[in-house]
Amino acid sequence: MWLKPEEVLLKNALRLWVTHKSNQYFILQRRRGHGDGAAKFTGATMEEILQHWEWLEQNLLHTLSVFDNKDDIANFVKGKVKGLIAEETSSKLAEQEEDPEKFREGLVKFESRFNFPETEKLITFYSCCCWKGKVPRQGWLYLSVNHLCFYSFFLGKELKLIIPWVEVQKLERTSNVLMADIIMVYTCGKEREFSMFLDINEVFRIMEQLADVTIRRHLDNEAFELDQNLKQPTQITKRDLEARAQKEFFRAMFKLPRTERLYDVVDCSLWTPFSRCHTPGRIYTSDSYICFASKEDGICTVIIPLKEVVSVEKMEDTSLLPNPIIISIRQQMAFQFIELKDRESLVNGLLQRLQQVNMSTLCPRNLVFGKEGFGNMNIMVNEDTESRSEKEKLPTNAEALMSSFHQTSSGNPDSELTREQIKERLWMDHFAEYGRTVCMFRTEKIRKLVAMGIPESLRGELWLIFSDAVTDLATHPDYYSRLVDESMGKSCMVTEEIERDLHRSLPEHPAFQNETGIAALRRVLTAYAYRNPKIGYCQSMNILTSVLLLYAKEEEAFWLLVAVCERMLPDYFNHRVLGAQVDQSVFEELVHERLPELAEHITDLSTLASISLSWFLTLFISIMPLQSAVNVVDCFFFDGIQAIFQIGLAVLDATAVELCSSKDDAQALMILSRFLEHVRNEESPLPHTGNLHSLLNNEQELYPVTDIADLIRDSYEKFGNSSVEQIEHLRCKHRIRVLQSHEETTKQNVVSTL
């Protein structure tokens, strides 16, 4: 048989290659006899090639089935591959901080295609597909400060999309029949699907940040008082957005002030004497703190205020201890870190900030937190108070109210005291091994001790340590007493609101049935409103503060309130309660995810949110007996808002059977209220007192009692695996929807008024 010359060449060429993998669209071959060598010749390892093959199968295989002919398939694949190559080249240039020519090319195309004003700054761009029905359109996604844009020119057809960030109601990562991982963008009445990104995690993270920044800037400029780079949209960069996300995670993880600027995040290992080994993790440094978190969650966390640091020293580098540094603190403790990359830069930065902290300590600041006062409200001054003499200074450093109004249980006092003594002994043993200051090693062991309930005698001290309010207290001597002197005697709308709520704060407790407790509560709330006029006073702050005053001195209670309002529950206590609304939305998603049967029965979880709002605003204090609620507050000060999420889920889990059989919202509310009223603390040395709701409830029906220790233990075992990172991601996701909903409500109210 006669063969054409080109057929002979093709036949011989095919003998040189062996098929490694294949499918109906693609074929992966290697040269015969070369094994992995062919892979190396292409500039990639076999592992990298297989990863690329897997990406093709996951992202392109199902998509190509929608095309009718081979030419369309070939054009689509060529366009996709070219886009990915251009994107990867651009990313590498940016990483190397070289002149990013590819970004300039993208910027020119962005400006010519969308014709925005010069102020519309492009942040970044990605190659991807936008789905129109079941057909993917290969093109480029452009993310700018105010818009999400997409451009495609495929098979002679042009597609151009422009979506303002202020119109984005929801961003979501999901999947469909054709694609395993896509990004959904929801606006009013419309939704768009984008897929086939080289790094979908990065794209989604940047999109969330831009949507969040835009809507916050649009609705609430106060939120950006500390983020200078985000005030001017034309100055925002991709690096700024990534730094902001990392900074917010850092603050949330260690419950630090919003003013803290993050400088370093470095992989290292910390010597942990309790385990007699070096624990791998990361060290974080900021303006006033050095923090460490183990890579494995729960193993070890350390928070070191720079004011406690005596020295930072580099040690001799050895094979056993590579790149070590020693950080010594005032309590005759030292922390050894090893395996630190760029040790010189880290140590120099720490020494510089340590010097600044020491200088500020030597020169105490007066009212350091900005412009104190009651805002723009009309203030009337009481002349009698104004002329108060120095001899009549208010008692702002009195002991915790529990020491004066301590009640003993009517049960067996010896037995109850023994339980407290056992707990105290366990804590003393723990202090001896792990430390008794803010710089203590925080491990899973201490979490178990907290879940058992902190002893009455140690509760105030440990709340101060866990929240780091003790650092604020030490670095601002006389700050609270001066606030009290300046704020007391002035009358305005805020002080009137405070006066109305004073006698509604724990009325069942004897400490607030007399003027001593009421006066202390008035001073703390008024001083805080004077310190922070943006928050002023919000209902539920009185309930929380009254419990703080039971276990802490008045000045300590003030700083605990500062920690809760400004660090641990940001955006909770303002006239819009946006932070609490966001967390209610997060809680709804957690219910869907962790309690699907209950979520299926209660189709409208917004009703549940209206019930659970008080759980978050008052940390269960207003709806549980006080002796039980303080154990919840213990967990909150140690674990932050995660404790409230998981205890809320545990309450719903414990009542799920009854809730699923409830007929309406009123019955569901009654089930939850009755359950929470019967959560008891049998180990408390204090007598049982119900909350205000239970005192007003005349129901005499017997109801099973739940022990608070069992409820908290169940919450950790069943729902305690949500990390800070997961919660912060969910908050960012739901904040967009909540803020958009608030904007829509505001518009409707304006229209109604007109």
Side-chain angles (χ1 to χ4, degrees), residues 86-103:
E87 181 184 335
E88 186 173 19
T89 304
S90 175
S91 298
K92 287 181 178 178
L93 285 170
E95 287 174 6
Q96 296 168 1
E97 296 184 355
E98 296 177 358
D99 190 13
E101 289 295 332
K102 291 294 181 182
F103 184 83

Side-chain angles (χ1 to χ4, degrees), residues 476-579:
H476 301 98
D478 301 325
Y479 176 80
Y480 173 67
S481 60
R482 276 180 280 176
L483 273 185
V484 170
D485 287 341
E486 291 199 16
S487 62
M488 293 304 294
K490 296 181 173 66
S491 179
C492 64
M493 189 185 300
V494 171
T495 59
E496 289 172 5
E497 290 178 8
I498 291 172
E499 281 302 320
R500 282 198 299 268
D501 285 347
L502 287 177
H503 293 277
R504 304 173 187 171
S505 311
L506 294 189
E508 70 277 11
H509 198 283
F512 299 98
Q513 294 169 358
N514 68 85
E515 187 55 29
T516 302
I518 294 295
L521 182 59
R522 179 187 293 113
R523 288 191 293 271
V524 172
L525 292 175
T526 304
Y528 184 79
Y530 192 77
R531 160 195 162 83
N532 191 344
K534 291 178 182 176
I535 291 179
Y537 170 74
C538 178
Q539 282 189 338
S540 75
M541 286 172 66
N542 60 317
I543 296 173
L544 177 60
T545 306
S546 58
V547 173
L548 300 178
L549 283 166
L550 289 177
Y551 292 98
K553 294 179 180 179
E554 189 175 317
E555 186 177 10
E556 294 171 345
F558 169 80
W559 287 112
L560 283 169
L561 182 63
V562 170
V564 172
C565 294
E566 299 174 16
R567 299 207 302 262
M568 303 184 73
L569 294 178
D571 303 323
Y572 261 58
F573 302 99
N574 54 42
H575 66 284
R576 290 186 294 205
V577 204
L578 287 175

Side-chain angles (χ1 to χ4, degrees), residues 198 205 377 578:
L198 189 63
R205 190 167 60 246
M377 300 180 185
L578 287 175

Side-chain angles (χ1 to χ4, degrees), residues 24-309:
Q24 63 189 103
Y25 299 109
F26 303 104
I27 183 168
L28 177 63
Q29 293 182 323
R30 61 178 173 82
R31 193 171 182 183
R32 191 183 297 276
H34 281 68
D36 226 14
K40 292 177 181 177
F41 182 76
T42 64
T45 65
M46 181 58 74
E47 183 181 359
E48 289 173 327
I49 291 172
L50 292 177
Q51 287 177 353
H52 295 162
W53 177 267
E54 185 179 353
W55 188 93
L56 286 173
E57 288 191 321
Q58 289 181 353
N59 290 276
L60 289 182
L61 209 57
H62 297 294
T63 307
L64 298 180
S65 62
V66 304
F67 294 101
D68 296 328
N69 58 69
K70 292 182 179 179
D71 290 338
D72 289 349
I73 292 174
N75 288 332
F76 178 81
V77 172
K78 287 178 184 177
K80 185 66 193 172
V81 171
K82 286 179 180 178
L84 291 174
I85 292 171
E87 181 184 335
E88 186 173 19
T89 304
S90 175
S91 298
K92 287 181 178 178
L93 285 170
E95 287 174 6
Q96 296 168 1
E97 296 184 355
E98 296 177 358
D99 190 13
E101 289 295 332
K102 291 294 181 182
F103 184 83
R104 288 182 182 176
E105 290 177 16
L107 178 60
V108 170
K109 291 178 180 178
F110 169 72
E111 292 173 343
S112 63
R113 288 167 175 171
F114 298 101
N115 197 29
F116 285 123
E118 291 184 4
T119 54
E120 185 63 24
K121 183 178 180 183
L122 177 66
I123 301 298
T124 187
F125 58 94
Y126 302 95
S127 170
C128 70
C129 285
C130 176
W131 290 76
K132 199 170 183 181
K134 292 186 177 180
V135 179
R137 300 293 298 268
Q138 170 62 34
W140 291 90
L141 180 72
Y142 298 90
L143 305 180
S144 67
V145 290
N146 296 309
H147 297 88
L148 178 155
C149 305
F150 178 81
Y151 181 85
S152 171
F153 188 83
F154 183 62
L155 300 178
K157 295 181 180 180
E158 185 180 56
L159 174 65
K160 191 184 294 186
L161 294 176
I162 299 175
I163 305 174
W165 289 118
V166 292
E167 293 181 9
V168 174
Q169 296 181 341
K170 183 180 178 183
L171 293 170
E172 184 178 31
R173 280 182 65 176
T174 183
S175 60
N176 59 23
V177 177
L178 297 176
M179 295 301 302
D181 207 353
I182 62 177
I183 294 176
M184 299 288 297
V185 179
Y186 297 87
T187 56
C188 185
K190 292 183 180 180
E191 56 187 59
R192 297 287 184 181
E193 300 178 359
F194 299 92
S195 65
M196 298 192 203
F197 294 97
L198 189 63
D199 185 353
I200 196 169
N201 294 319
E202 177 188 304
V203 179
F204 190 70
R205 190 167 60 246
I206 296 296
M207 289 172 73
E208 277 192 323
Q209 285 290 316
L210 280 169
D212 185 48
V213 166
T214 304
I215 197 67
R216 274 178 175 252
R217 190 173 63 243
H218 185 62
L219 288 178
D220 191 356
N221 290 326
E222 292 175 2
F224 294 95
E225 188 173 325
L226 302 173
D227 293 306
Q228 297 296 329
N229 292 336
L230 301 177
K231 278 186 173 183
Q232 299 295 329
T234 56
Q235 302 301 316
I236 297 175
T237 65
K238 179 181 173 184
R239 184 171 296 176
D240 289 334
L241 294 172
E242 291 174 338
R244 174 179 181 258
Q246 190 174 47
K247 183 168 58 177
E248 289 190 345
F249 166 71
F250 163 70
R251 291 174 187 159
M253 185 175 189
F254 299 105
K255 301 185 284 290
L256 299 181
R258 282 186 171 183
T259 51
E260 284 300 304
R261 291 173 295 179
L262 181 62
Y263 291 101
D264 303 294
V265 181
V266 182
D267 288 339
C268 65
S269 293
L270 170 65
W271 174 255
T272 47
F274 54 89
S275 60
R276 298 180 181 276
C277 67
H278 284 92
T279 300
R282 287 190 179 93
I283 187 172
Y284 302 78
T285 69
S286 65
D287 289 309
S288 308
Y289 291 89
I290 302 169
C291 302
F292 173 85
S294 58
K295 289 187 177 178
E296 187 177 344
D297 191 38
I299 296 296
C300 178
T301 302
V302 175
I303 300 173
I304 308 173
L306 282 179
K307 82 168 197 66
E308 298 294 331
V309 175

